[in-house]
Amino acid sequence: MCVRSRTGCVVPELTVRVARACNPHGTTSMAIRDHLSGLWSDEDLEEWYPRDGKPGLSPAQLATVSVLQFLLELSDRQAAESVRNRIDFKYALGMELEDPGFHHSVLADFRERLAQEGRADKLLDLALEKIRAVGLVRQRGRQRTDSTHVLAAVRDLTRLELVTEAMRAALEELARRAPHELVGLVTEDWGKRYGRAARLGKNPSKPKTRIKETGEDVRLLLRYVHRYLPALRDGEQVQALRQIFVQNYHLDDQDRPKWREPEDTGLPPSAVAIVSPYDVSARYARRGETRWKGFLAHVTETCDPDIPSVITDVTTTRAAVHDTKALPGILANLEDRNLLSKEHFVDGGYLSVALKQQVARDHGVGLVGPIRARSTRQSRKGTVFSRDAFTIDWDAKEVTCPQGKASRPWTTPPSIAPYFQVKFSKNDCGQCPVKAACTRSDVRVLTFLPRELHDIQSESRTEQQTQEWLSHYSLRAAIESTISEFVNGHGMRQCRYRSQNKAHVQHVLTAIAVNLERIDVHLPPAPTRQPRTPTALQGFLDWQRIPRPRSWRVATHPAG
C-alpha cells in the first residue's frame, strides 16, 4: 500500500512506518498532515508576496520547516539538510522523495518576512484554528499567563565600550556603503581605537582620556556625515551612534562633549537607554536579584481539565515594560482570535484593581490573582492606625480618624490618579496624644481609590485569604512548568536573532512547536485508508473462492 502526498508524490507506507519508529519526533511532524491537514496553505500566506515576478518556494512549506526546526532545535543548515534527507520531513511537507530541497539561507529570508507586519502572529492564528477544529481548545474556558526574561544576542558592554563599539559599527557601515568618503577622515589613531572590537573592561587604562577622545571622535564623525553625506545620514548604525552619543554625553557651554554623570546631568532611564548598537530594541531591566539585557516573553496557555494545555498567545516586550502594561495587549490578541477565557490566572505583577475592573468591563474576563497587600508603615507594624482604621464618608467626601477628627476635603493630584488624597489638620494631629503611633510627619496623609475600586480592592483582599480561593488559584502554578519547557527544552532564554521583532518570531515558532508536541498524543487515530479496488482477475478469484495473496510479502515462488 502507498500514500499519496499533497503534491502527488507516492510515498510507500513502509517508509512512513520506518520514519515513525526511527524518529521520536516523527509522529509529531507527521501529525501536521495526518490529523491537521497541514497547518496552513500557500493561499493563506500569498499576500506576503508580490503578484508579479518569478514564483518562489512554497511559503507554507517554509513555515512548516521553520516550526519543525524549532521543535527539533536545528540550525538553518541542519533544517535544510533534514528536508533533503529525512522521510518524515518530506512526508510532512508533501514533497517528492527525490526533491533536493532548498538552500539554508532561504530560511533566514523567510524569517525576515515573518518579522514584518505581525505575520508571525498570523501563523499562530492559523495553527490555533486547526487545533481548535479538532476540539482541543474550549470556548470561554480558563487560561493563565506568566513571563520570563530573555537575553538579547549581544554581549554586556560598559558605557565606554558601548560608545566605542557604536563608533566602530558606524564606521563599518560607512566603509561598506561609501568607502571612498572616509579617505582623509579615518586616521591612524582611529584605526587603533576602532579597528577591532572594543574590549576595555570595567577598569580601562586612562579612562578620562579615552572618554574625551571617543566623545570628540563621535562628534566629528556625526558632523561630517550630517554636512557631507546626507544620503548616509539615515543608516541604522549612524542613527544608533547618534542616540548613544546623546545618552552618554552632553555638550558644555563651549560645545564640547562631556561625559554624563548620574549626579550631574543624569542618565536616561532603562526604558529608553540603548545597551548595544547592534540591537537598539534591547533594554536593561532588574527584577529582584535577576538582572539582564534583552526582552520579556509573556506566555499564555489554556488550563482546562481533560485536554492538553495549548499555547494561545506569545507576546514579546522590552525588558523594562511592566507586566500590567503587557496584559491588555495579550487580551486584545486573544479577542482577535476568539479565544478569550472566562477566567484568566495571573500573578500579582500583572494585576491592579483598576485593570481588574477594566478587563471585566471590556472583555468579560475575570482576572484571578492576588491584589498587592498594603505596604504602609502602619500596615507592616500592624498598629490600629492603618488605613482601615479610618472611616470614609463617600457622600460627604470626608474621612474620620480613630480619634474622631475629620479630614480636610480630599483632592486628586494628577501624579497619583485615580487615587484620592486627604490630609488632616496640623492642629488636630499636633495635639493628638497617639500621634507617634499614627504618623512621623506633621500631619497624617491618606490615599485611597474611588469608591467602586475601593470596594473591589477590599473584597479581593478578603477573598484571597480563604482556603477556597487559594485552592482555586493553584491552577496558575503549572504555567511555571511551561516556562521551564520553553527555556530548558527549546532554548527560549537566549535570543537566536537580534531585534525585538525577530525575537518574537523565535518565540512564536517555539510556541507552535510546543503545541504540536503537546497535542500529538491527544489526537485521534489517523483514519484508515480504503483498500484498493480488486482487479478483474482478483475479483474472479474471490468469486470462485480461490485463495490469493493479500500482500506481496506472503507471495510464494516456485523453487528453482
Side-chain angles (χ1 to χ4, degrees):
M1 183 179 293
C2 296
V3 181
R4 185 166 295 277
S5 72
R6 184 184 62 180
T7 58
C9 168
V10 178
V11 183
E13 183 155 339
L14 175 61
T15 62
V16 175
R17 293 176 180 174
V18 171
R20 293 179 191 273
C22 295
N23 176 23
H25 290 281
T27 56
T28 302
S29 59
M30 293 178 186
I32 297 175
R33 286 194 53 210
D34 286 345
H35 304 285
L36 302 179
S37 301
L39 294 173
W40 32 68
S41 64
D42 290 342
E43 291 73 18
D44 295 326
L45 314 178
E46 64 181 0
E47 61 184 19
W48 301 359
Y49 295 83
R51 297 185 179 275
D52 54 354
K54 181 181 179 181
L57 296 173
S58 166
Q61 289 182 343
L62 292 177
T64 303
V65 172
S66 298
V67 172
L68 294 176
Q69 175 184 3
F70 279 85
L71 176 66
L72 304 176
E73 287 293 299
L74 303 177
S75 66
D76 288 351
R77 292 178 183 272
Q78 291 171 332
E81 189 69 18
S82 297
V83 172
R84 284 191 292 272
N85 300 328
R86 289 178 54 162
I87 296 176
D88 58 334
F89 268 64
K90 291 185 180 295
Y91 181 80
L93 299 174
M95 299 175 65
E96 301 283 350
L97 287 179
E98 64 274 11
D99 195 311
F102 45 78
H103 194 265
H104 65 86
S105 61
V106 174
L107 293 175
D109 296 337
F110 184 71
R111 285 194 302 271
E112 290 278 357
R113 200 177 297 271
L114 277 181
Q116 304 170 12
E117 302 174 1
R119 292 168 178 171
D121 290 315
K122 182 173 181 179
L123 283 187
L124 182 58
D125 295 345
L126 294 170
L128 288 172
E129 288 179 8
K130 295 289 186 179
I131 296 174
R132 182 166 48 186
V134 296
L136 295 181
V137 178
R138 292 177 182 169
Q139 294 290 336
R140 303 298 288 182
R142 296 172 176 172
Q143 298 190 46
R144 53 198 174 203
T145 297
D146 201 4
S147 64
T148 185
H149 63 282
V150 180
L151 306 179
V154 297
R155 64 186 178 95
D156 288 338
L157 299 171
T158 64
R159 287 179 59 197
L160 180 56
E161 285 178 331
L162 173 63
V163 179
T164 305
E165 193 64 22
M167 179 70 173
R168 188 179 76 88
L171 289 172
E172 184 74 27
E173 181 181 67
L174 294 174
R176 184 171 59 253
R177 298 179 62 184
H180 57 281
E181 298 290 351
L182 298 181
V183 176
L185 177 66
V186 177
T187 62
E188 184 177 346
D189 290 338
W190 280 25
K192 294 179 180 179
R193 294 172 197 161
Y194 314 114
R196 59 181 301 175
R199 299 186 182 277
L200 306 177
K202 294 184 178 180
N203 297 304
S205 60
K206 301 180 180 179
K208 293 184 178 180
T209 302
R210 291 179 182 271
I211 289 172
K212 178 177 178 296
E213 292 175 346
T214 304
E216 292 174 349
D217 294 344
V218 174
R219 180 70 166 158
L220 175 60
L221 179 62
L222 291 177
R223 282 182 170 180
Y224 182 83
V225 172
H226 181 78
R227 180 175 300 178
Y228 301 109
L229 305 175
L232 305 179
R233 193 183 304 166
D234 295 331
E236 181 179 354
Q237 296 301 333
V238 172
Q239 287 298 313
L241 176 63
R242 182 186 62 82
Q243 296 179 59
I244 292 172
F245 176 75
V246 170
Q247 292 180 358
N248 291 276
Y249 286 89
H250 69 97
L251 300 179
D252 61 9
D253 297 337
Q254 300 180 7
D255 201 32
R256 295 177 301 184
K258 296 295 183 181
W259 194 242
R260 287 187 180 273
E261 299 292 348
E263 65 278 0
D264 185 14
T265 53
L267 294 173
S270 59
V272 298
I274 298 175
V275 298
S276 173
Y278 304 107
D279 190 347
V280 295
S281 59
R283 294 291 182 267
Y284 170 83
R286 178 178 63 184
R287 289 193 176 186
E289 299 298 324
T290 304
R291 304 180 183 186
W292 78 100
K293 295 176 180 178
F295 312 97
L296 274 173
H298 304 264
V299 180
T300 302
E301 68 175 2
T302 60
C303 53
D304 295 309
D306 305 325
I307 57 175
S309 297
V310 175
I311 310 299
T312 55
D313 184 73
V314 180
T315 298
T316 307
T317 65
R318 293 185 176 183
V321 175
H322 198 268
D323 290 345
T324 54
K325 302 295 183 181
L327 186 58
I330 295 172
L331 295 175
N333 292 340
L334 295 177
E335 185 173 28
D336 292 340
R337 296 175 180 134
N338 196 23
L339 288 176
L340 280 175
S341 58
K342 183 178 180 181
E343 291 183 313
H344 202 110
F345 294 81
V346 294
D347 61 24
Y350 285 94
L351 201 57
S352 69
V353 179
L355 185 58
K356 185 173 184 177
Q357 182 199 44
Q358 176 187 345
V359 168
R361 181 182 65 246
D362 297 344
H363 301 287
V365 176
L367 291 181
V368 182
I371 297 294
R372 188 175 59 180
R374 304 173 184 85
S375 59
T376 61
R377 179 175 64 92
Q378 290 79 12
S379 63
R380 290 195 297 270
K381 290 188 175 182
T383 65
V384 296
F385 299 105
S386 64
R387 192 176 303 169
D388 291 342
F390 293 76
T391 304
I392 302 175
D393 188 338
W394 298 99
D395 297 328
K397 295 185 177 181
E398 187 178 76
V399 179
T400 303
C401 77
Q403 297 297 309
K405 302 296 183 180
S407 67
R408 296 176 179 177
W410 60 47
T411 59
T412 309
S415 59
I416 64 170
Y419 285 82
F420 292 133
Q421 186 179 81
V422 296
K423 294 182 179 180
F424 287 84
S425 170
K426 187 175 182 179
N427 293 333
D428 292 339
C429 289
Q431 300 174 5
C432 181
V434 291
K435 177 178 180 297
C438 183
T439 180
R440 291 176 291 184
S441 304
D442 294 336
V443 296
R444 179 66 186 268
V445 180
L446 290 176
T447 59
F448 52 92
L449 290 163
R451 186 171 190 173
E452 185 178 359
L453 297 180
H454 183 272
D455 292 343
I456 295 175
Q457 182 185 60
S458 300
E459 293 172 2
S460 299
R461 285 176 173 170
T462 301
E463 182 185 21
Q464 66 194 33
Q465 300 301 320
T466 64
Q467 187 61 41
E468 181 182 0
W469 185 92
L470 293 174
S471 299
H472 186 55
Y473 182 63
S474 63
L475 285 173
R476 192 210 72 87
I479 190 68
E480 303 290 349
S481 63
T482 297
I483 296 295
S484 178
E485 180 181 0
F486 270 85
V487 171
N488 299 314
H490 297 278
M492 190 179 184
R493 177 77 73 222
Q494 180 67 56
C495 288
R496 283 192 178 193
Y497 321 109
R498 290 174 178 169
S499 85
Q500 181 178 336
N501 290 338
K502 292 181 181 179
H504 182 59
V505 171
Q506 174 185 347
H507 300 161
V508 169
L509 294 176
T510 302
I512 298 174
V514 170
N515 279 342
L516 293 178
E517 208 167 27
R518 289 181 172 185
I519 69 174
D520 182 40
V521 297
H522 295 270
L523 292 172
T528 57
R529 298 178 178 88
Q530 296 295 328
R532 292 181 177 180
T533 303
T535 64
L537 175 60
Q538 291 172 343
F540 172 81
L541 295 174
D542 292 341
W543 174 48
Q544 294 295 317
R545 298 183 180 180
I546 299 175
R548 64 180 175 88
R550 301 289 174 173
S551 172
W552 63 268
R553 295 184 184 85
V554 297
T556 59
H557 300 278

